[in-house]
Structure formats: C-alpha cells, structure tokens
Amino acid sequence: MSTLRFPSTAAFTQSIRMRRNGALPGTLFLVLEGVSDKKSFQPLLGPTFHYVPARGKEMVLTAYETLTTEGAKNCLFIVDCDGETSNSWLGRPGLIVSNNRDIDADLLFELRAFDRVSLEFLSDFGLTAPQCSDIGSKLLDYARGITASFGILLDTARHLGFNTKFVDPVTNARRRIRLEDFSDLSTWVENFVPIDPNELLPVAAQVLEWTAAQEHAILEALQIGRTKQCRIHKAEYCSSCTPRRFSNGHDLADVLALGLSQRCGYDVNAAEFARATRLATSSGAIGDWDVANRVQRWQSLHAAA
C-alpha cells in the first residue's frame, strides 16, 4: 500500500484503527516509517505480521502515542534512531528504536549483509573469496567514515536551524543533500581518501546556499563537537559509536554502490544495491540483530496473550 494514501498523521492513525477493527483475533501489526523498512523486515519476519508503512518517523510516533492510549496492544511500532531520538522514547512498551541511525544501517552493521553483497558483485570480476572479503571490508570501513562525517555536518547544521535541502536541478523536486552531490566523491571513494566534516562544509555550503555567517557558525560548532568524548569509550572520535549515530543508510548505499561499481567493472546503482542488501540478509542470521530479537520477544508475548 502506498504511503501517499496517508496525507496526515490523523489519516494514518485512523487507517490503523480500521485495519485493527477488521482484523481477525490474534492479528499483529508492525508499524514502520516507510515502504523501504517494510521491504527490509518482511523477508526476515515473514507473513506473521500485517505491515503498515507510514510516511516518516513523526507519523509513527504520533500514531503510537494515540493508539497506545486507546489500548492498541496488538501494534508494534519501529522507528529509526536518527542519532538523536529522545531518551523519553526508549524502553516504552510496544516501541522499538533501531540500534544504528536507521534500519538500513542496521542491516549492514548488525547482520553484515555487505559481506555477501560484496562477494556477489566482486567474484564475477575474477577475484577470489579472500580478495572479495578484503576489498569489501575496506570499502565498508571507508563508507562508515565518510558517511559519519557527512551525518555530523548535516546534524550540526540542523541543530543550528539551517537548511539541509535544495531543489534538485534534474527533477526540480526539493530533497535532502546527498554525498553524490559532491563532485569529488568518486575520487574519494576510489582512493579511500579520508574526509572529515570540515572538508565537506564548503561544498555543502555552496549547494545549499548557506551564507558566510552560517558556514562560520557551523565550522565553530564542528570544532566544539570534535572535543566531546564518547561516553562509552572515552574517545574524542569513537570509530565504533560515531558511525552508529551518524551514518545514514541511504548515504551508505550511495558510497558502497559507487565503490562496487569502480571495482567490479559495471554500474551498480543505489537502488540495485539496496535490493541486493535485503536479499543478502539471511533469516538464519536474524539472531544477530537486536531489533529483530526484540520484535520476536514482543511477538511471543502477544501471541500467547
């Protein structure tokens, strides 16, 4: 079902009420941020749930507050962490927050889907399995780093109240800036060039038309942010926690698809990469994913109720 059928949160919430009213006893609903999340969960969890994709995080959270107040205990809501989900949402019954920035990043980091994806694409180019694994590992590590830098930059700008969207010159539609909008991205990925948020700032400022004052304010905030230590590992830049918080799944797909294209000899677009990632996510490995484990624990409680 297209999310375009839900023009407002109220309409989305009402659609869930109607589904619940018309469902058979024991039916369980999984309420997700969008269609891509449904495509990620459905192959792993199967037909046990009725999947209800929304149109963004706020729509899901608002529906959660409304419907749980009404006693909708057969609905499980899942949202992306986005690096800044308020602690007030954590630990609530019937609500699960992704471990990484979003569900797509969870598939790559928790279920190691890229191990199988890189082998699928690179082995056709005459590389051995160990060579594929080595290249894939280096590419994923690089993608973690550059997408985390990009996420830090965008989050800093948003926290300052600055715009992070622009009108795409090809589609004429307003969208979020992406790493693929940086003309040097291909060179960076091909040569594994380390990129920090400060180096991304001037190009982002040009694309998004930030003023000199805005660019300076972001730079100052970035400098302050660099001195903050990870609360868990006590490091100024924590290679473990920083990508978990800042690496967006769509940005990871852009970088990894580009890196595979450069190394396997033919074009791999982000949509093809996303499909390959979902297909490579084996249901047998689901026990390694904390989010899926929480879904199954919730399911067992409510199936027995």
Side-chain angles (χ1 to χ4, degrees):
M1 178 176 289
S2 170
T3 56
L4 294 177
R5 297 190 182 186
F6 309 126
S8 67
T9 298
F12 177 65
T13 303
Q14 180 60 20
S15 77
I16 300 175
R17 289 193 191 99
M18 293 174 65
R19 290 167 188 250
R20 292 183 65 242
N21 291 338
L24 295 172
T27 300
L28 301 178
F29 294 88
L30 199 62
V31 184
L32 306 163
E33 286 192 21
V35 173
S36 65
D37 290 341
K38 175 184 175 180
K39 291 179 179 179
S40 296
F41 278 103
Q42 200 163 22
L44 295 172
L45 301 177
T48 310
F49 292 94
H50 282 238
Y51 299 88
V52 188
R55 189 160 48 84
K57 182 176 183 176
E58 293 307 314
M59 187 173 281
V60 175
L61 291 177
T62 302
Y64 168 80
E65 286 198 307
T66 302
L67 293 172
T68 51
T69 301
E70 298 174 4
K73 294 182 180 180
N74 63 338
C75 295
L76 178 61
F77 299 77
I78 300 180
V79 295
D80 294 336
C81 170
D82 291 328
E84 55 181 3
T85 299
S86 170
N87 288 337
S88 64
W89 292 108
L90 303 180
R92 291 200 188 187
L95 177 66
I96 293 176
V97 180
S98 67
N99 287 345
N100 294 279
R101 190 171 182 95
D102 53 35
I103 294 300
D104 292 328
D106 266 15
L107 296 182
L108 290 167
F109 295 160
E110 304 293 319
L111 291 180
R112 301 185 61 83
F114 189 63
D115 291 356
R116 293 176 287 279
V117 172
S118 59
L119 181 63
E120 174 70 22
F121 284 105
L122 297 174
S123 61
D124 289 342
F125 198 54
L127 299 176
T128 65
Q131 288 174 322
C132 293
S133 177
D134 181 60
I135 294 173
S137 178
K138 290 177 180 177
L139 185 54
L140 182 58
D141 284 345
Y142 182 75
R144 287 176 189 263
I146 192 171
T147 56
S149 292
F150 190 50
I152 290 170
L153 173 63
L154 295 189
D155 276 11
T156 301
R158 279 191 289 263
H159 288 158
L160 291 170
F162 302 153
N163 174 51
T164 57
K165 295 183 178 181
F166 75 110
V167 176
D168 189 302
V170 176
T171 65
N172 205 36
R174 187 171 176 79
R175 66 166 174 83
R176 166 187 175 275
I177 188 174
R178 299 174 67 162
L179 275 168
E180 62 183 14
D181 297 313
F182 292 72
S183 59
D184 290 330
L185 179 63
S186 180
T187 300
W188 295 340
V189 175
E190 184 174 8
N191 298 287
F192 293 134
V193 179
I195 301 294
D196 66 27
N198 291 13
E199 293 170 295
L200 294 172
L201 175 57
V203 181
Q206 183 177 11
V207 173
L208 296 170
E209 299 182 339
W210 288 332
T211 66
Q214 288 174 322
E215 187 174 350
H216 182 70
I218 294 171
L219 181 60
E220 284 192 331
L222 289 173
Q223 295 302 110
I224 294 172
R226 288 176 67 91
T227 64
K228 294 182 179 179
Q229 291 192 337
C230 168
R231 288 176 294 180
I232 299 175
H233 300 104
K234 309 301 181 186
E236 288 189 5
Y237 180 90
C238 178
S239 60
S240 174
C241 295
T242 302
R244 290 173 68 90
R245 181 178 178 185
F246 294 105
S247 292
N248 175 282
H250 295 298
D251 295 326
L252 285 163
D254 287 343
V255 174
L256 293 171
L258 174 60
L260 287 174
S261 297
Q262 292 170 334
R263 289 160 178 82
C264 73
Y266 59 88
D267 182 56
V268 180
N269 61 48
E272 182 183 3
F273 174 82
R275 285 193 298 271
T277 300
R278 289 191 291 268
L279 290 172
T281 306
S282 167
S283 58
I286 198 170
D288 296 329
W289 189 14
D290 180 61
V291 167
N293 289 333
R294 283 184 279 167
V295 170
Q296 291 179 329
R297 287 196 296 270
W298 180 90
Q299 181 184 356
S300 64
L301 289 173
H302 289 77

